Short mmCIF file of all heavy atoms in Angstrom, two decimals:
data_model
loop_
_atom_site.label_atom_id
_atom_site.label_comp_id
_atom_site.label_asym_id
_atom_site.label_seq_id
_atom_site.Cartn_x
_atom_site.Cartn_y
_atom_site.Cartn_z
N PHE A 153 28.08 -137.75 -36.38
CA PHE A 153 29.15 -137.25 -37.31
C PHE A 153 30.48 -137.78 -36.69
O PHE A 153 30.87 -137.62 -35.44
CB PHE A 153 29.12 -135.71 -37.12
CG PHE A 153 30.12 -134.95 -37.99
CD1 PHE A 153 30.07 -135.05 -39.28
CD2 PHE A 153 31.23 -134.40 -37.37
CE1 PHE A 153 30.95 -134.40 -40.18
CE2 PHE A 153 32.24 -133.77 -38.10
CZ PHE A 153 32.08 -133.80 -39.55
N LYS A 154 31.23 -138.47 -37.56
CA LYS A 154 32.52 -138.99 -37.29
C LYS A 154 32.42 -140.08 -36.23
O LYS A 154 33.38 -140.11 -35.42
CB LYS A 154 33.62 -137.88 -36.99
CG LYS A 154 34.06 -137.06 -38.11
CD LYS A 154 35.20 -136.27 -37.83
CE LYS A 154 35.60 -135.45 -39.04
NZ LYS A 154 36.76 -134.65 -38.86
N LEU A 155 31.35 -140.87 -36.25
CA LEU A 155 31.20 -141.93 -35.26
C LEU A 155 30.88 -143.20 -36.11
O LEU A 155 30.07 -143.25 -36.94
CB LEU A 155 30.09 -141.62 -34.22
CG LEU A 155 30.36 -140.48 -33.20
CD1 LEU A 155 29.14 -140.07 -32.49
CD2 LEU A 155 31.40 -140.91 -32.30
N ASP A 156 31.43 -144.26 -35.65
CA ASP A 156 31.40 -145.54 -36.38
C ASP A 156 30.23 -146.41 -35.84
O ASP A 156 29.49 -147.00 -36.53
CB ASP A 156 32.65 -146.41 -36.45
CG ASP A 156 33.73 -145.59 -37.19
OD1 ASP A 156 33.40 -144.87 -38.18
OD2 ASP A 156 34.92 -145.73 -36.80
N ASN A 157 30.16 -146.48 -34.52
CA ASN A 157 29.33 -147.44 -33.80
C ASN A 157 27.91 -146.77 -33.51
O ASN A 157 27.52 -146.60 -32.24
CB ASN A 157 29.90 -147.96 -32.56
CG ASN A 157 30.50 -146.94 -31.63
OD1 ASN A 157 30.49 -145.74 -32.04
ND2 ASN A 157 30.95 -147.32 -30.51
N HIS A 158 27.18 -146.48 -34.47
CA HIS A 158 25.88 -145.72 -34.37
C HIS A 158 24.83 -146.65 -33.50
O HIS A 158 24.24 -146.06 -32.54
CB HIS A 158 25.22 -145.57 -35.63
CG HIS A 158 25.96 -144.57 -36.60
ND1 HIS A 158 25.69 -144.40 -37.84
CD2 HIS A 158 27.17 -143.95 -36.32
CE1 HIS A 158 26.56 -143.67 -38.43
NE2 HIS A 158 27.36 -143.31 -37.60
N ALA A 159 24.91 -147.83 -33.74
CA ALA A 159 23.83 -148.65 -33.06
C ALA A 159 24.11 -148.81 -31.49
O ALA A 159 23.24 -148.68 -30.66
CB ALA A 159 23.96 -150.17 -33.53
N GLU A 160 25.40 -148.83 -31.21
CA GLU A 160 25.79 -148.95 -29.74
C GLU A 160 25.49 -147.64 -29.00
O GLU A 160 24.95 -147.59 -27.94
CB GLU A 160 27.26 -149.19 -29.56
CG GLU A 160 27.73 -149.45 -28.16
CD GLU A 160 29.20 -149.62 -28.16
OE1 GLU A 160 29.76 -150.42 -28.98
OE2 GLU A 160 29.86 -149.10 -27.17
N LEU A 161 25.76 -146.49 -29.73
CA LEU A 161 25.55 -145.15 -29.16
C LEU A 161 24.02 -144.96 -28.98
O LEU A 161 23.52 -144.35 -27.95
CB LEU A 161 26.25 -144.09 -29.95
CG LEU A 161 27.75 -144.00 -29.82
CD1 LEU A 161 28.26 -143.06 -30.80
CD2 LEU A 161 28.25 -143.75 -28.46
N LEU A 162 23.34 -145.36 -29.96
CA LEU A 162 21.86 -145.22 -29.93
C LEU A 162 21.28 -146.11 -28.79
O LEU A 162 20.36 -145.67 -28.11
CB LEU A 162 21.28 -145.65 -31.32
CG LEU A 162 19.84 -145.25 -31.50
CD1 LEU A 162 19.47 -143.85 -31.48
CD2 LEU A 162 19.33 -145.74 -32.83
N LYS A 163 21.86 -147.20 -28.51
CA LYS A 163 21.41 -148.10 -27.49
C LYS A 163 21.60 -147.32 -26.11
O LYS A 163 20.70 -147.44 -25.31
CB LYS A 163 22.11 -149.39 -27.50
CG LYS A 163 21.68 -150.37 -26.46
CD LYS A 163 22.41 -151.65 -26.51
CE LYS A 163 22.13 -152.55 -25.40
NZ LYS A 163 22.97 -153.68 -25.27
N ILE A 164 22.76 -146.75 -25.96
CA ILE A 164 23.11 -145.99 -24.70
C ILE A 164 22.16 -144.86 -24.49
O ILE A 164 21.67 -144.67 -23.32
CB ILE A 164 24.50 -145.52 -24.90
CG1 ILE A 164 25.43 -146.64 -24.78
CG2 ILE A 164 24.81 -144.48 -23.64
CD1 ILE A 164 26.95 -146.21 -25.05
N ILE A 165 21.79 -144.08 -25.59
CA ILE A 165 20.87 -142.97 -25.49
C ILE A 165 19.43 -143.56 -25.10
O ILE A 165 18.69 -143.02 -24.29
CB ILE A 165 20.86 -142.29 -26.66
CG1 ILE A 165 22.16 -141.40 -26.85
CG2 ILE A 165 19.66 -141.22 -26.74
CD1 ILE A 165 22.46 -140.73 -28.01
N LYS A 166 19.11 -144.64 -25.77
CA LYS A 166 17.64 -145.28 -25.39
C LYS A 166 17.65 -145.78 -24.03
O LYS A 166 16.52 -145.61 -23.41
CB LYS A 166 17.48 -146.44 -26.43
CG LYS A 166 17.10 -146.00 -27.79
CD LYS A 166 16.66 -147.16 -28.75
CE LYS A 166 16.38 -146.59 -30.07
NZ LYS A 166 15.92 -147.70 -30.97
N GLU A 167 18.72 -146.19 -23.41
CA GLU A 167 18.71 -146.56 -22.03
C GLU A 167 18.48 -145.33 -21.10
O GLU A 167 18.02 -145.60 -19.98
CB GLU A 167 20.00 -147.33 -21.73
CG GLU A 167 20.16 -148.72 -22.28
CD GLU A 167 21.49 -149.27 -22.12
OE1 GLU A 167 22.50 -148.68 -21.59
OE2 GLU A 167 21.67 -150.43 -22.55
N LYS A 168 18.93 -144.28 -21.53
CA LYS A 168 18.78 -142.93 -20.78
C LYS A 168 17.49 -142.23 -21.02
O LYS A 168 17.33 -141.14 -20.62
CB LYS A 168 19.93 -142.08 -20.95
CG LYS A 168 21.27 -142.67 -20.54
CD LYS A 168 22.29 -141.62 -20.70
CE LYS A 168 23.64 -142.08 -20.05
NZ LYS A 168 24.34 -141.04 -19.50
N THR A 169 16.54 -142.84 -21.77
CA THR A 169 15.32 -142.20 -22.19
C THR A 169 14.55 -141.59 -21.00
O THR A 169 14.11 -140.48 -21.02
CB THR A 169 14.46 -143.16 -23.02
OG1 THR A 169 15.15 -143.53 -24.20
CG2 THR A 169 13.18 -142.42 -23.46
N GLY A 170 14.46 -142.48 -20.01
CA GLY A 170 13.65 -142.09 -18.74
C GLY A 170 14.29 -140.71 -18.12
O GLY A 170 13.54 -139.84 -17.81
N GLU A 171 15.68 -140.74 -17.99
CA GLU A 171 16.24 -139.55 -17.42
C GLU A 171 16.16 -138.40 -18.29
O GLU A 171 15.93 -137.22 -17.87
CB GLU A 171 17.77 -139.84 -17.32
CG GLU A 171 18.09 -141.03 -16.37
CD GLU A 171 19.61 -141.34 -16.40
OE1 GLU A 171 20.50 -140.37 -16.52
OE2 GLU A 171 19.96 -142.53 -16.30
N LEU A 172 16.30 -138.62 -19.62
CA LEU A 172 16.16 -137.55 -20.48
C LEU A 172 14.75 -136.95 -20.64
O LEU A 172 14.61 -135.59 -20.67
CB LEU A 172 16.58 -137.89 -21.97
CG LEU A 172 18.12 -138.35 -22.09
CD1 LEU A 172 18.22 -139.00 -23.50
CD2 LEU A 172 18.99 -137.13 -21.94
N ARG A 173 13.73 -137.74 -20.41
CA ARG A 173 12.31 -137.33 -20.45
C ARG A 173 12.08 -136.53 -19.23
O ARG A 173 11.40 -135.48 -19.14
CB ARG A 173 11.34 -138.53 -20.61
CG ARG A 173 9.88 -138.07 -20.69
CD ARG A 173 9.03 -139.32 -20.97
NE ARG A 173 7.74 -138.76 -21.13
CZ ARG A 173 6.70 -139.18 -20.26
NH1 ARG A 173 6.98 -139.86 -19.29
NH2 ARG A 173 5.45 -138.65 -20.45
N GLY A 174 12.71 -137.02 -18.06
CA GLY A 174 12.48 -136.27 -16.81
C GLY A 174 13.10 -134.93 -16.89
O GLY A 174 12.48 -133.91 -16.31
N ALA A 175 14.28 -134.77 -17.51
CA ALA A 175 14.96 -133.51 -17.58
C ALA A 175 14.09 -132.55 -18.52
O ALA A 175 13.95 -131.32 -18.31
CB ALA A 175 16.37 -133.69 -18.15
N LEU A 176 13.59 -133.28 -19.58
CA LEU A 176 12.73 -132.36 -20.46
C LEU A 176 11.47 -131.96 -19.73
O LEU A 176 10.98 -130.74 -19.91
CB LEU A 176 12.32 -133.27 -21.71
CG LEU A 176 11.53 -132.57 -22.82
CD1 LEU A 176 12.35 -131.42 -23.44
CD2 LEU A 176 11.14 -133.50 -23.83
N GLY A 177 10.84 -132.83 -18.92
CA GLY A 177 9.71 -132.45 -18.14
C GLY A 177 9.91 -131.25 -17.26
O GLY A 177 9.06 -130.38 -17.03
N ASN A 178 11.12 -131.30 -16.68
CA ASN A 178 11.43 -130.09 -15.66
C ASN A 178 11.60 -128.85 -16.47
O ASN A 178 11.21 -127.70 -15.92
CB ASN A 178 12.75 -130.36 -15.03
CG ASN A 178 12.65 -131.38 -13.99
OD1 ASN A 178 11.70 -131.62 -13.47
ND2 ASN A 178 13.82 -132.05 -13.64
N LYS A 179 11.97 -128.85 -17.72
CA LYS A 179 12.14 -127.62 -18.60
C LYS A 179 10.73 -127.23 -19.08
O LYS A 179 10.42 -125.96 -19.22
CB LYS A 179 13.12 -127.88 -19.78
CG LYS A 179 14.49 -128.03 -19.25
CD LYS A 179 14.96 -126.71 -18.86
CE LYS A 179 16.49 -126.66 -18.75
NZ LYS A 179 17.05 -125.45 -18.35
#
């Protein structure tokens, strides 16, 4: 929402997938 560079932000999030999955695993 109100962001222009979707592809770049999606790339940043994909790079953090391992960290995010680890945090999800802890929960």
Side-chain angles (χ1 to χ4, degrees):
F153 182 70
K154 291 191 176 184
L155 292 167
D156 296 328
N157 50 354
H158 300 172
E160 182 180 321
L161 293 171
L162 192 59
K163 182 181 174 190
I164 291 169
I165 291 170
K166 285 182 179 181
E167 289 173 356
K168 293 184 176 217
T169 300
E171 296 172 38
L172 295 171
R173 185 170 181 249
L176 183 66
N178 288 335
K179 291 286 190 179

